[in-house]
Amino acid sequence: MRQIPLALLAPPAHSFDNFLPGANAEALAYLLGLMPADPPVLLWGPTGSGKTHLLQALAERWQAAGQRVAWYDADTALPWELPAHESLLLLDDCQRFDAGQQHAAFALFVASAGQGYTVVATADAPAVDLNVREDLRTRLGWGPSFQLTPLREAEMRAVLRREADRRGLLLGDEVLSYLLTRFERNLKGLMSLLERLDEFAMASKRSLTLPLLKAMLADETGEKKIDSDPIL
């Protein structure tokens, strides 16, 4: 278990204020109305659909209200302990849990039942299709379940422009179109690429242009030039 410092949950990239819901408005509305002791919630969908973003935004919101939050994922070392006081329990990427972590996650469900805790979990598939132990699958599928879908191109453009503006970058149409046509439309990967491009532009003391992007990619792969366009 990791108790999450509020400071780690406050970056603009992980808040409700700058989460663009797209087709995920129903899930967003439900999380905004979530209360202590509500039934467990499962958010599922592919990488880049905003699952972890929503967990971190939810944690920020609850902590800002003075409530406790505990986070568990595949990188959280065992044993997983239930907090001594009522808390928001977050289980991220349940499909990545190994056998010991699946046992620990089920134990959290059992120990927290009827005690005022609230569980919100994420996975890459609905509970019925998850490759986890049956008792954990049953718990994950017991409450409301929301499928999250990636943003459409226009929405993704808006998010990338907003993040570029936040960083003080001028993201031109040429660079933006290159990112969206030559790379997988995975928002998490594209945001990471934009962050690296920001750092590279600062280090190079150059403006954000298509030649700069290609130079960064060549630098990352150790090549003098890019012969083909990579897929993230």
Side-chain angles (χ1 to χ4, degrees):
M1 179 189 71
R2 287 181 286 149
Q3 295 286 350
I4 307 177
L6 180 59
L8 295 181
L9 298 165
H14 303 108
S15 69
F16 283 130
D17 289 340
N18 63 8
F19 178 77
L20 189 63
N24 305 316
E26 183 181 3
L28 175 61
Y30 188 88
L31 293 179
L32 288 173
L34 194 66
M35 301 293 291
D38 275 353
V41 181
L42 177 65
L43 307 174
W44 63 274
T47 299
S49 57
K51 302 185 301 293
T52 300
H53 184 138
L54 283 175
L55 284 197
Q56 294 178 332
L58 187 62
E60 177 195 43
R61 181 182 178 90
W62 281 51
Q63 286 190 320
Q67 296 162 314
R68 296 177 177 82
V69 177
W71 182 290
Y72 311 83
D73 58 31
D75 298 320
T76 307
L78 296 172
W80 291 0
E81 300 175 354
L82 186 70
H85 301 281
E86 295 81 357
S87 307
L88 175 65
L89 308 181
L90 303 176
L91 306 173
D92 195 24
D93 280 344
C94 293
Q95 77 280 353
R96 297 180 56 220
F97 291 178
D98 61 27
Q101 291 168 334
Q102 290 177 37
H103 175 78
F106 174 70
L108 289 175
F109 271 107
V110 173
S112 63
Q115 302 298 316
Y117 294 84
T118 305
V119 180
V120 180
T122 72
D124 63 355
V128 67
D129 293 330
L130 286 177
N131 184 25
V132 296
R133 49 189 286 169
E134 184 62 29
D135 51 8
L136 177 58
R137 180 182 10 260
T138 300
R139 294 286 176 151
L140 289 171
W142 176 62
S145 178
F146 297 94
Q147 179 182 7
L148 301 184
T149 59
L151 297 175
R152 293 171 294 184
E153 180 178 337
E155 296 164 336
M156 197 165 289
R157 282 178 176 269
V159 171
L160 290 172
R161 283 196 184 280
R162 183 172 60 191
E163 177 63 12
D165 290 344
R166 187 182 72 84
R167 292 176 175 273
L169 293 172
L170 179 60
L171 184 60
D173 290 336
E174 184 181 36
V175 175
L176 185 54
S177 294
Y178 189 92
L179 291 174
L180 291 173
T181 57
R182 305 301 180 92
F183 293 85
E184 182 181 349
R185 290 182 184 177
N186 176 324
L187 185 58
K188 183 177 180 180
L190 288 172
M191 293 288 273
S192 175
L193 179 59
L194 186 61
E195 180 179 3
R196 302 199 311 273
L197 187 56
D198 183 15
E199 295 173 353
F200 189 80
M202 292 180 62
S204 304
K205 297 182 179 179
R206 295 166 58 187
S207 58
L208 200 167
T209 62
L210 186 55
L212 180 73
L213 170 58
K214 292 183 176 181
M216 184 198 74
L217 296 172
D219 183 72
E220 290 183 343
T221 58
E223 300 175 356
K224 293 184 180 180
K225 64 178 181 177
I226 299 176
D227 296 321
S228 60
D229 295 313
I231 297 294
L232 289 182

